[in-house]
Amino acid sequence: MNAILHEMAVPFYKPVSNECGLFEAASRKGLPLLLKGPTGCGKTRFVEHMAARMGRKLYTVACHDDLSAADLIGRYLLKGGATEWVDGPLTRAVREGAICYLDEVVEARKDVTVVLHPLTDNRRTLMIDRTGEELVAPPGFMLVASYNPGYQNILKRLKPSTRQRFLSIGFTFPDPVTETAVVARESGLSEAKVAPLVRLAGHVRALSGMDLEEGVSTRLLVYAASLMAGGMGIEAALEAAVIEPLTDEPDVAQALRDLIATVYG
């Protein structure tokens, strides 16, 4: 079970629209929020930023194929020869009036969405069948989920009945000026040296859906820039942070190298 409790200083996030105001409004009204966008475009950082900015405790759950409702709610465990109930991260968030963030919620098992439904309407309740409890979420509780629409298929898709329970924000990669500022801020590399990286990312993203499953993320640009800021050469940094993470196909890898050579002259 991969649940992370965040209590930290405000992580850096550069808004691109009114997403911060919408998050705060949803929190005030106790409304669930769904974040949609490609991998590495800043969804998780945004949630971490908002939770810290608002002084709220945040439980993050990385969803996966084996994540069940019991993983979120809790289970009985054997402790010191006695059986003891242990809350899962969703239950702790409800009890404490915290934010629970389900990252890539479509990856979880189908029974998870059944558990979420009563928390995403006017009831705002969580049923714990094993203990017989029915928890009513306090005003501070907020449910946030995210997913990547580009990875959806017929087996992994949010049903309309679930999607329509959430407010939603669409995320995409920032405009070049914003992305350059973000990558420079996160990596320590100068904006003048980050700018070609961002231009390269634009070209690579144009290939997404043809030769690549997905374009290079802002996260990978930060990785590449961090390596370069640490003294690594451009070719080596981009090989490790862009080419190898994006493809296993030799022909596609070579095409990316040729593209890099063109961008960097």
Coordinates of all heavy atoms in Angstrom, one line a residue, residues 64 70 135 145 153 174:
H64 N -2.9 1.6 -8.3 CA -2.4 0.6 -9.2 C -3.4 -0.5 -9.3 O -4.4 -0.5 -8.7 CB -1.0 0.1 -8.6 CG -1.1 -0.4 -7.2 ND1 -1.7 -1.6 -6.8 CD2 -0.8 0.3 -6.0 CE1 -1.6 -1.7 -5.4 NE2 -1.2 -0.6 -5.0
A70 N -10.3 -2.1 0.4 CA -9.8 -2.3 1.7 C -8.5 -1.6 1.9 O -8.2 -1.2 3.1 CB -9.6 -3.8 1.9
L135 N -18.9 7.0 8.6 CA -18.2 8.3 8.9 C -18.8 9.4 8.0 O -18.9 9.2 6.8 CB -16.7 8.2 8.7 CG -16.0 7.1 9.5 CD1 -14.5 7.2 9.1 CD2 -16.2 7.3 11.0
A145 N -8.8 13.5 -7.2 CA -8.3 12.3 -7.9 C -7.7 12.9 -9.2 O -8.0 14.0 -9.7 CB -9.4 11.4 -8.2
N153 N -8.3 3.0 -21.9 CA -8.8 2.0 -22.9 C -10.2 1.5 -22.4 O -10.7 1.9 -21.3 CB -7.8 0.9 -23.1 CG -7.4 0.2 -21.9 OD1 -8.3 -0.2 -21.1 ND2 -6.2 -0.1 -21.7
P174 N 2.7 23.4 -19.8 CA 2.7 24.9 -19.8 C 3.2 25.5 -21.2 O 3.8 24.8 -22.0 CB 3.7 25.3 -18.7 CG 3.9 24.0 -17.9 CD 3.7 22.9 -18.9

